[in-house]
Amino acid sequence: MSGWADAGFATRAIHAGQEPDAATGAVTVPVYQTSTFAQAEVGAHRGWDYARSGNPTRDALETALASLEGARHGFAFASGLAACDAVLRTCAPGDHVVMANDVYGGTYRQFARVHAPWGLTFEPVDLSDLDRVAVAWRANTRMLWIETPTNPLMTIFDIAALSAFAHERGARVVVDNTFATPYLQQPLALGADVVVHSTTKYLGGHSDVVGGAVLTSDDRIAEQVRFLQNAVGAVPGPWDLFLVLRGIKTLAVRMRAHCENARAVVAALCAHPAVRGVLYPGLAGHPGHGVAAQQMRDFGGMVSFHMADAGAALRACARFRVFTLAESLGGVESLVEHPGRMTHQSVAGSPLEVPDDLIRLSVGIEDPADLIADVEQALE
Ligand SMILES: *Cc1c(COP(=O)(O)O)cnc(C)c1O
């Protein structure tokens, strides 16, 4: 984290934690494919003793991600959900968590079916209405869990206002920053205590790795997460760390291209007669547009839209050719999916159920003309 603190975002993405290798001069951080490290005498090692506890490739990624989020501490995990799990385990049985009423389906499933049975209580709330948050708040509410923009409804929540609200009541604020990335949104600077990421998405950026991360400047939370990372052991392997490190080097240019292409696709969707409504925070008519314009640098590469009904949505999903029909998001290639039947099947029947006429696009960085032509032929 030292040395690059004053550099710009794109510079830190390439250099923070990624100085040439001290032993060999290798310009790229090597993949330290080793499970253990030699000790000169008992207890005398060079900072690493066993690879679950840490390895130099992981240190590089953790330092780089912390730098990008403006955090003092970074922790890499084997998946985004492993990162969420570590953060939720900093709560104790009996604690109450107020969460956004539109979150990644797997996050909700983890709350409802992993942490609730162990004694955590939680309540999904529309966080855009502070009165509702106040009604849901309890004496034992210890954590506020925010995702913004949300997946898949693209709702925007005001991180600064919610952080102030929660801090007045002594609770920690967590933001899942997967959709925005630190390039577009800096939750810690807006007042949040913890950022979680699925690095599988934009940070990796090439749909070739699954990973997660936790970033914080709070020393106490960092101590808890550091302990859990090692004690539970959901750590990524060195190749996966390397792939995320490689991905973040181009995060700034990729995000600019994602945003630009999303704008072009949104314009085409808005003009299309088969589209009933477009959910994109960059649209002036989006209810969260004002807040998004304040807390984000740009509006991102994720777009959702309503078709006439479920049948029309399912038929359209099958007709895309440049957009690949697949779960996940944030890679260089464009993806299309039906949240109700795919990524958010795990919330069917819950308060978080998503409308079945909805299609979600992860707009990639191909030529925008090809993306627009594909949208138009698929919706015909
Ligand atoms: C994908 C995703 C997750 C889960 O991450 P994995 O890497 O799939 O475990 C969490 N939050 C959001 C917003 C996601 O999109």
Side-chain angles (χ1 to χ4, degrees):
M1 273 149 270
S2 61
W4 300 99
D6 297 329
F9 185 93
T11 305
R12 284 180 281 128
I14 292 166
H15 294 292
Q18 302 164 79
E19 280 82 8
D21 187 48
T24 63
V27 165
T28 300
V29 174
V31 177
Y32 285 91
Q33 189 72 49
T34 184
S35 61
T36 189
F37 298 83
Q39 308 196 5
E41 49 185 281
V42 173
H45 54 72
R46 304 184 200 178
W48 302 278
D49 55 2
Y50 183 62
R52 173 168 26 76
S53 313
N55 86 38
T57 316
R58 193 165 98 201
D59 287 3
L61 179 63
E62 292 178 339
T63 301
L65 291 179
S67 171
L68 295 185
E69 286 286 3
R72 273 210 298 278
H73 312 281
F75 303 95
F77 284 88
S79 70
L81 284 180
C84 293
D85 176 66
V87 172
L88 284 171
R89 281 175 197 265
T90 67
C91 296
D95 285 356
H96 180 248
V97 180
V98 169
M99 69 186 288
N101 64 349
D102 178 32
V103 295
Y104 176 67
T107 305
Y108 180 79
R109 180 177 56 198
Q110 190 181 97
F111 267 99
R113 293 179 57 190
V114 178
H115 294 287
W118 283 99
L120 219 56
T121 54
F122 68 97
E123 190 162 339
V125 180
D126 175 3
L127 301 182
S128 59
D129 182 348
L130 275 184
D131 293 337
R132 289 198 204 185
V133 181
V135 168
W137 208 266
R138 301 194 200 153
N140 60 337
T141 303
R142 299 273 181 267
M143 188 176 276
L144 175 62
W145 190 281
I146 304 173
E147 199 178 300
T148 179
T150 65
N151 180 1
L153 296 176
M154 305 304 298
T155 308
I156 299 294
F157 298 126
D158 187 333
I159 296 172
L162 286 164
S163 297
F165 180 96
H167 288 160
E168 276 166 26
R169 291 156 181 81
R172 291 169 169 179
V173 177
V174 181
V175 176
D176 183 334
N177 206 26
T178 299
F179 264 38
T181 83
Y183 179 72
L184 297 179
Q185 177 170 277
Q186 304 258 303
L188 300 183
L190 293 163
D193 303 292
V194 183
V195 168
V196 298
H197 274 288
S198 169
T199 58
T200 314
K201 316 294 168 55
Y202 286 106
L203 296 180
H206 297 73
S207 304
D208 53 11
V209 63
V210 170
V214 175
L215 298 312
T216 184
S217 290
D218 182 311
D219 295 342
R220 245 179 58 82
I221 299 174
E223 220 33 68
Q224 289 177 288
V225 173
R226 188 189 322 279
F227 171 78
L228 288 162
Q229 183 192 38
N230 185 50
V232 177
V235 293
W239 282 100
D240 290 354
L241 293 159
F242 171 85
L243 286 169
V244 179
L245 268 172
R246 179 150 97 160
I248 61 172
K249 287 179 197 289
T250 54
L251 183 64
V253 285
R254 283 190 287 110
M255 291 315 294
R256 287 197 285 269
H258 283 296
C259 292
E260 204 172 301
N261 281 2
R263 244 186 297 284
V265 167
V266 163
L269 288 171
C270 288
H272 202 286
V275 173
R276 213 162 47 71
V278 181
L279 310 180
Y280 187 65
L283 290 169
H286 186 286
H289 177 69
V291 173
Q294 260 179 6
Q295 72 184 15
M296 299 175 73
R297 187 201 292 248
D298 202 342
F299 302 103
M302 298 301 297
V303 180
S304 294
F305 60 98
H306 294 283
M307 296 292 288
D309 52 38
L314 292 168
R315 281 193 300 279
C317 280
R319 279 202 300 259
F320 282 88
R321 292 190 206 121
V322 181
F323 285 79
T324 301
L325 179 59
E327 302 201 359
S328 200
L329 61 109
V332 290
E333 65 289 295
S334 293
L335 302 179
V336 56
E337 70 123 358
H338 184 269
R341 296 268 179 97
M342 294 170 67
T343 49
H344 287 66
Q345 197 162 36
S346 58
V347 296
S350 85
L352 280 75
E353 182 161 326
V354 295
D356 59 7
D357 61 2
L358 196 73
I359 295 178
R360 189 190 77 181
L361 302 178
S362 172
V363 180
I365 64 171
E366 299 95 335
D367 286 301
D370 294 327
L371 298 181
I372 290 167
D374 194 36
V375 166
E376 283 172 351
Q377 69 78 24
L379 301 186
E380 207 155 88

